[in-house]
Amino acid sequence: MSNEIVPRRYSEKEAGLILRKAAEMQRAEPSAADPSGFSLAELEEVAREAGIDPAVVRSAAAELDVPAGESFSAALVGGPLTVRLETELPGEYPADRFDSLVPAIQNASTWQGHAGAVGKSLTWSARSESNTSSLQVLVVASGGNTLIRVEERLGGLATALFGGVIGGVGAGAGLGIGAGVGAAIGSTLFAVGFPVFMLGGSYYLSRAIYSAYVKKERGKLRLLLDQLSAHASSVIAETSTGAAIEDSKDARILPRDSE
């Protein structure tokens, strides 16, 4: 019989309790950096050490980051009216390198937009050709970290989609066919029931189309965020290395004694 000791495995509930207890213990320490909670970068680091893809953590955080007023509308139309993803990188992106970040945004996105910088923050905005959706990229360097947020607003698209399908197919075709055929066969039930059926069917069709579109756009935004994060991390590392080299050179210069 083998005497090999099998390491204990914790259930999902037990793992959550352990992490919660660990968080409480850390916050109780006087040296705790942030007693109010964890940043997204800290959560990503914990996930990385646990073998979880940080991109999955960002997606999960994005699911929670839904404005309270949008919860009902998201359930109604099949997806959020605003898709927002963000990540926080260690180190501050240098403000004097924002000029290299704008081309990176343009290359990673199919949108044509414009950028504006204020202090240590950069905002890049664009609108679709149909003017039914908008995209915004925000980069903020503060507190030793860099926040990158990508956000797409789809309210205009949802309005155009549901209005067009329900109004054109559901109401237009439903009422026209229902009234015409109902009168021809002398059926009031068909004249009333067919438009109701078409309205309901067009609503569920619109909802399915919008839900699929949001899923596709979320994937595009995640790719955009990953590409910008890789670029920003590279610039931050390059800047940090350059600063370290300069500090090393300065340390080698010794003051000469005056004669």
Side-chain angles (χ1 to χ4, degrees):
M1 181 180 295
S2 175
N3 294 325
E4 181 181 356
I5 299 177
V6 179
R8 177 181 176 184
R9 299 188 65 82
Y10 297 92
S11 66
E12 182 177 347
K13 182 178 180 180
E14 290 174 328
L17 292 174
I18 290 172
L19 291 176
R20 184 182 303 174
K21 182 63 176 178
E24 293 174 353
M25 293 171 64
Q26 177 174 327
R27 293 169 189 165
E29 296 180 1
S31 58
D34 183 7
S36 62
F38 296 97
S39 67
L40 184 57
E42 291 170 334
L43 291 175
E44 290 180 6
E45 182 62 28
V46 172
R48 189 177 292 107
E49 294 177 358
I52 302 174
D53 187 355
V56 178
V57 176
R58 291 197 294 270
S59 298
E63 293 292 338
L64 293 177
D65 190 20
V66 177
E70 283 197 8
S71 57
F72 175 75
S73 58
L76 186 65
V77 302
L81 298 178
T82 300
V83 181
R84 182 184 301 113
L85 299 176
E86 66 179 44
T87 187
E88 193 173 61
L89 306 175
E92 293 190 10
Y93 192 95
D96 58 357
R97 296 289 299 274
F98 279 154
D99 56 341
S100 67
L101 186 59
V102 174
I105 297 174
Q106 290 285 180
N107 292 334
S109 171
T110 58
W111 301 62
Q112 296 297 320
H114 59 276
V118 178
K120 298 165 67 175
S121 67
L122 171 74
T123 302
W124 181 92
S125 304
R127 295 196 65 85
S128 62
E129 294 182 358
S130 60
N131 204 35
T132 57
S133 58
S134 63
L135 176 66
Q136 183 181 83
V137 177
L138 175 66
V139 181
V140 180
S142 177
N145 296 312
T146 298
L147 171 72
I148 302 179
R149 175 184 297 159
V150 293
E151 177 179 292
E152 184 173 0
R153 296 182 179 273
L154 301 169
L157 176 67
T159 300
L161 173 63
F162 280 80
V165 175
I166 295 177
V169 178
L175 289 174
I177 295 176
V181 175
I185 64 177
S187 174
T188 304
L189 178 63
F190 185 88
V192 175
F194 186 77
V196 173
F197 171 78
M198 289 296 292
L199 284 172
S202 61
Y203 162 71
Y204 282 105
L205 175 62
S206 301
R207 193 176 188 277
I209 294 174
Y210 184 76
S211 179
Y213 184 83
V214 169
K215 183 178 180 180
K216 182 183 69 172
E217 290 303 296
R218 189 187 298 276
K220 291 181 179 180
L221 291 184
R222 185 176 298 115
L223 179 60
L224 172 60
L225 182 63
D226 289 342
Q227 291 177 339
L228 294 181
S229 298
H231 171 81
S233 296
S234 176
V235 172
I236 292 172
E238 177 186 335
T239 304
S240 300
T241 301
I245 293 176
E246 291 299 323
D247 291 342
S248 177
K249 289 181 179 179
D250 293 341
R252 294 175 186 174
I253 301 176
L254 301 177
R256 299 178 59 184
D257 295 334
S258 58
E259 298 182 359

